[in-house]
Amino acid sequence: MKILIVGGGMGGTILANNLARRLNGELKSGGARITMLSASDKHMYQPGLLYLAVGRMTPDELYRDQAGLLEPGIEFHVDPAEEFQLDHNRVKTKSGKLYDYDTLVIATGSRMYPEGIPGLAEHAETFYTEASALKMFKRLQEFQGGRVVIAVGVPHKCPMAPLEITFMLHDYFKDRGLGDKVQLHYTYPINRIHSLENVAKWAAPEFDRLGIAYETFFNIKEVDGKNQILRSEEGAEIKYDLLIAIPAHKGMEVIEKNGLGQNGWIPTDRQKLNMEGRKNVFVLGDTTNIPISKAGSTAHFEADTLGENIAAMVKMGTPVRDYDGKVFCFIEAGKDRATYAMFNYQNPPDPKAPTKAVHWFKMAYNKLYWVSARGLL
Amino acid sequence: MPGKTVVDARGSFCPGPLMELIAALKSCQVGDELEVLSTDRGSANDIPEWVRKVGHEHLATHVEAGVWHITVRKAK
């Protein structure tokens, strides 16, 4: 079986390594072949951007060489896909090469799209790329006081990011002795401060205790940069001195260009993870349109399921289990405390009070990620 | 010709049915109808409340085999 994985992010990398181990014998005998196409020779630990934005990580800590993360036997090419010729079971790349497959996995991820809101890209700080996170940190360093507004677009990568950045900004300014001069003003699109009800119930009293103001039912409409005013679809206005945005995201352009899914999200079966209408095309991570968190852990657990299933299809001709919607998210509650949320399609999360122990576990995971990406954890 | 979009948010705890609706509305035209499918009881209250606040129209809500069907029209 020729397995082609498009995308070298968390989902694609874990899946490739998982499959290479499960299909070790088949790779040696020629019964299976695993090829990965990626746009970059580097692999970024994206959750690290949150720390980069507040000066708690440096850019070099975010990256490893992609080839070095992959098991021997995986063919890796830095040659991004440009045309998905699904009716012919092949993908054409930027270099012009054609890659045939028996099974295709699309894991191209997502990107922030601040351009969708007038004024947002020009006037808000963000932290979803290395360059924007560095720029944001420099703005924070220059900031001497005033109202910092946190604004949230939908959908976005990492559902915990709005809360985490707010807690971390609180501690950042407090450490600089600016606690009394900075007012944090958090906004959120729905009628509570986080989409997960139990997370919102935990976080609201924390915000109250820390003096963080919040406003719900606030969907970003436009930014008036000249007058430093943020306006909502609901008709509210907030004056800001510094605007931090979690912009709405889209899937990658190549998905839209190929007509695989509106806004770059591919319609995907939530249990089998195959692209709707295509039995030999699977979708992982942010790229799916499944209504669950766009998070690394989602991609990770989907990749575990898909690894088992594709290997079983090679060995037995049939998949063995369904993806149950499992997601696990750490939630940083400041510079030295954290909690977590774990849930699936059937069971909502029930986060506990933050502790230092969970924070240190998250700090350890920031390093252990590289073991995770190798498919070992 | 306005269309009807189904937002299948069954089993969604995070980001949740209302967030799925907000995201889906961006891709629709004024006049389009959207039907949200949700297994979350709270959505039956949250969605109409938000829809009214923003100025869209809440057309109907009904429950069928444990799934809430909430229909709205994009009005602006």
Side-chain angles (χ1 to χ4, degrees), chain A residues 74-92:
Chain A
I74 298 169
E75 295 171 36
F76 174 60
H77 304 282
V78 181
D79 193 5
E82 290 208 333
E83 283 178 33
F84 290 87
Q85 301 174 358
L86 302 186
D87 290 336
H88 302 285
N89 290 338
R90 68 187 179 214
V91 169
K92 190 176 181 185

Side-chain angles (χ1 to χ4, degrees), chain B residues 2-76:
Chain B
K4 185 170 184 177
T5 303
V6 174
V7 181
D8 186 353
R10 289 174 294 169
S12 175
F13 294 110
C14 183
L18 177 51
M19 297 280 258
E20 293 291 338
L21 171 66
I22 292 170
L25 273 164
K26 286 184 195 169
S27 311
C28 293
Q29 306 298 316
V30 171
D32 282 358
E33 287 183 19
L34 296 92
E35 182 181 6
V36 183
L37 310 186
S38 170
T39 44
D40 166 38
R41 179 186 297 268
S43 303
N45 296 322
D46 293 352
I47 290 176
E49 187 185 349
W50 179 78
V51 164
R52 276 193 296 274
K53 194 167 166 87
V54 176
H56 299 307
E57 289 175 60
H58 172 224
L59 301 177
T61 297
H62 71 275
V63 190
E64 208 175 295
V67 177
W68 276 262
H69 296 245
I70 305 151
T71 309
V72 305
R73 181 184 289 130
K74 182 167 175 162
K76 63 178 197 178

